[in-house]
Amino acid sequence: MFRTALRNVLAHKARLLMTVLAVMLGVAFVSGTLVFTNTISEAYQNSSAKGFDQVDVAVDPEYQESEGDTLGRTPELTQAILDASARVPGAASATGVVTGFTALADKDGDLVGNGFQSQGGNYWGTDDPRYPLVEGHAPKGRGEVLIDAKTAERTGYRVGDTLRLSVDGPVLTPKVAGVFTTDDGNVAAGGSLTLFDTATAQQLFGKKGTYDQIAVRAKPGVTQSALKAELDKALPADRVETTTGQRLADDQAEMIASQMSGMKQGLLVFAGIALFVGTFIIANTFTMLVAQRTKELALLRAVGASRRQVTRTVLIEAFVVGVVAAVTGLVAGVGIGAGLRSLMGSLGETVPDGPLVITPGTVGAALAVGVLVTMLAAWLPGRRAAKIPPVAAMSSVHAKASVKSLVLRNTIGALFSAAGVAVVLAATTMSGSDGQAPMGLGACLLIIGVFVLTPLLSRPLIASAAPVLRLFGVSGKLARQNSVRNPRRTAATASALMIGLTLITGMTVMAGSLQKSIDKMASEAIRADYVVFMANGNALSPDVEKELKETEGVTATSPMRNAAARIGGETEYLTGVAGATFGDLTKLPVEDGAFKVGGDRVVVDEDTAKSRGWTAGSSFTASFEDGKKEKLTVAGVYQANEMMSGIMLDLATLAPHQTDPSDMQVMVKTADGTSDATKNRLEQALGSNPAIKVQDKKDISQDIAQMFTMMLNMLYGLLAMAVIVAVLGVINTLAMSVFERSQEIGMLRAIGLDRTGIKRMVRLESLVISLFGGVLGIGLGVFFGWAAGELMASSMATYELVLPWTRMAVFLLLAAAVGVLAALWPARRAARLNMLTAIKSE
């Protein structure tokens, strides 16, 4: 039986090629994802581990939890703690570390790095072993800085050049005192590192006389654990915690692995979709191969082969095909992994140097996925083949699906579909995250149900195309009949395309609706002409608002400043605003009372008010970070949105309780409204700082639209794999259908249908099947997009369903293009059949 299986594989090489390609693409996606993520993860881990070479034990402040009316706080690492660390037995040196965000502009005025990767720190003394100098000298005072060698290379800065940089808003213009090398992972990933002398760094980053961390080096022969034990004895346990350098490196490696895990899982989901679609092709292929060898299998049964042996023969064929596909897919996957890494570099995403990582797990996963998927998809056709009675098969009586089996299939499909619709509709009545799991379950049930029902749906939907097909005469009529001749095969072929278009359409509907909702939210909630904020989301210096207020043409400004407070034994975040102007800069619907902020009067969003039982006129006591308390009164309850929420109070009330205030954004109203000239004036007032964004409502919408477009394009690219596999499925089905109908095609040629007519017949058949899958996919995608939108509408008052008619038309044209392209080779093959040879074929 094994020899028989191998002979069959070799005898049907051309027929199995599409199956190999389908499995290979899925395996390549899986192995490519694993190679890419493992390579990037190891490169970052190795790079970050080098960054801890100069740290044997790190001393960090121990966070003290909130209790009663006292807010939690992080104790300061003072000079006294630094000196005590340096004196412990076994310590060779102790270095105070100060870090913070530093936005560096290149020579064109653009931000270097990706915002969050643009860091600043302190250079310790005149010879800091953490940062070996390549040229220049240690920085002295506010007018000098050091830059890393990779940033110097990318920007062209040299010692003596003047830089433009920013820490929290105002622009600084120091000179480059020197260039250093570093193993910092952010720098290796394309960011920048700027170093000041310690006193300047402490002043700029709001750490006057204190440190973020103390790095302690051990004397020769002293282990990290021994040094940690000595530090634990000498330092106050309630204020600091100590960690060995090895533990820091291990924690960093775990964090990087966790971050890469999300990317890996996301990519593997799309690989799974491609493989799932590929199972339809495999099942189709083996179903048709088995049908073509009915007599051969019956003969095997007649000469003594058991049902199990016949099934085993088919599974051995599938195993051979799976191994070939898995091995070629693994090789292709290694190439994909290397290509993705190169692509990141071409897109400006620098990755630390390191070898391509191909783990045994990657090899095992590729082989297991390829072989198992192929064998599972081939098992059912093999089992069906074994059940065919030998006498019936040898008499060419094909075992067609019985009425009973079709009724059972349709009943199961209807039950799954009804259950899926019911669960999805129930999920739309839930709120937020509560409905996500039920909606996912309902979507899976509905897709399975529709797939099972597809043979039933194919007849009426394809029949609806009859008026159009009649325009093509005999070829059109034959194409329609061929499309519904084997509804199971048509269903399996169309379902592959349906799944890809369902996902694409659903995500397009959601993205378009969210875009419209956020645009509506911005236009309804903001009256200000401009919103000013840091490009990386960091806090702004209060000096920014002062500069804007004094700018020509500005009529009103209000910062939005976050601050924690204890209310009723719980931590609540307050938002400080300019009470006199904030109401003129925003337009938030008031549910109760009035929108008045000033003195002890505050406004509260409806969710917070409901959870605490507040109404207009309610009073509460807030305990601030300095330990002092204020009695506040709710003047009004407003309707929140994703841009503004929480408790808002006047800055004049909040500011006295803050030691290091900072603003999240500043809202600006101008006399002339929005214009390029006004925007330029505001940007120039802030020193044309690349780290600060000045945006009107149109700019905000464009940023959001750009984000959604980028996300969709990435998803389209990933789902293209499933569409490619679906195309292979259509080609495969048509090629084998042509082979099965060789005799019929020969008869059609003999009675007068020319080669052009044969080609047209096959192309129309392909077009009808593809459009059938496209219509189902777009319909399901719209339904899922609507349902997901209903779920989001529970937490987004401005949500509005938007159907992207143009894009849906493009998707339908894409389905048609799939049909036309997939039919090129099968149609040409059918037209070239010799009519006499075809008539004599069995």
Side-chain angles (χ1 to χ4, degrees), residues 89-139:
S93 64
T95 302
V97 179
V98 184
T99 58
F101 170 73
T102 301
L104 174 65
D106 61 20
K107 291 185 176 182
D108 296 325
D110 297 324
L111 187 64
V112 176
N114 295 324
F116 69 93
Q117 294 174 335
S118 300
Q119 297 294 315
N122 68 310
Y123 188 84
W124 190 254
T126 57
D127 184 19
D128 192 332
R130 298 174 300 165
Y131 308 113
L133 285 173
V134 177
E135 57 179 314
H137 59 81

Side-chain angles (χ1 to χ4, degrees), residues 160-425:
D161 289 349
T162 299
L163 303 178
R164 294 180 65 255
L165 56 83
S166 170
V167 171
D168 58 2
V171 174
L172 306 175
T173 55
K175 288 187 176 181
V176 179
V179 177
F180 62 92
T181 59
T182 178
D183 293 317
D184 186 280
N186 281 328
V187 173
S192 63
L193 180 60
T194 308
L195 301 179
F196 307 86
D197 69 80
T198 299
T200 301
Q202 288 175 323
Q203 182 184 16
L204 290 175
F205 300 136
K207 310 284 171 52
K208 296 178 182 177
T210 64
Y211 306 95
D212 293 300
Q213 187 182 75
I214 296 171
V216 186
R217 292 297 308 274
K219 291 179 179 178
V222 178
T223 65
Q224 291 186 353
S225 56
L227 179 59
K228 180 181 183 303
E230 293 294 340
L231 287 165
D232 288 339
K233 292 178 188 176
L235 303 179
D238 60 336
R239 295 187 60 189
V240 302
E241 61 177 347
T242 58
T243 312
T244 63
Q246 184 59 52
R247 179 71 259 174
L248 288 173
D250 292 343
D251 290 345
Q252 183 82 352
E254 288 179 14
M255 183 184 72
I256 291 170
S258 176
Q259 291 172 344
M260 295 304 297
S261 175
M263 179 191 295
K264 183 186 296 185
Q265 289 174 2
L267 291 172
L268 287 176
V269 165
F270 290 97
I273 292 169
L275 282 168
F276 182 61
V277 172
T279 58
F280 295 124
I281 301 177
I282 301 165
N284 254 3
T285 301
F286 278 93
T287 298
M288 288 184 278
L289 286 175
V290 166
Q292 291 164 16
R293 287 162 36 210
T294 302
K295 283 189 176 183
E296 177 187 326
L297 295 175
L299 184 60
L300 287 174
R301 290 289 311 283
V303 296
S306 65
R307 287 186 176 183
R308 184 174 296 178
Q309 285 177 311
V310 171
T311 303
R312 195 180 300 152
T313 301
V314 177
L315 290 179
I316 290 171
E317 292 180 43
F319 175 79
V320 173
V321 171
V323 169
V324 173
V327 172
T328 53
L330 175 61
V331 173
V334 173
I336 289 174
L340 286 173
R341 179 172 174 171
S342 299
L343 179 63
M344 287 187 70
S346 65
L347 294 175
E349 299 288 339
T350 309
V351 179
D353 295 330
L356 206 62
V357 179
I358 306 169
T359 65
T362 300
V363 176
L367 293 174
V369 166
V371 174
L372 286 176
V373 168
T374 308
M375 292 186 70
L376 285 173
W379 175 75
L380 191 57
R383 189 166 172 270
R384 277 204 204 109
K387 287 184 175 181
I388 299 175
V391 175
M394 292 177 74
S395 303
S396 299
V397 179
H398 293 273
K400 295 182 180 178
S402 64
V403 174
K404 181 180 177 181
S405 69
L406 290 175
V407 170
L408 179 62
R409 175 172 181 147
N410 293 339
T411 302
I412 293 173
L415 289 174
F416 268 89
S417 298
V421 170
V423 174
V424 168
L425 292 178

Side-chain angles (χ1 to χ4, degrees), residues 65-72 564-571 621-629:
E65 299 289 341
S66 301
E67 187 176 347
D69 290 334
T70 304
L71 278 169
R566 295 287 284 179
I567 301 174
E570 296 179 1
T571 300
T621 300
S623 179
F624 295 93
E625 64 179 69
D626 61 353
K628 295 182 180 179
K629 300 179 181 179

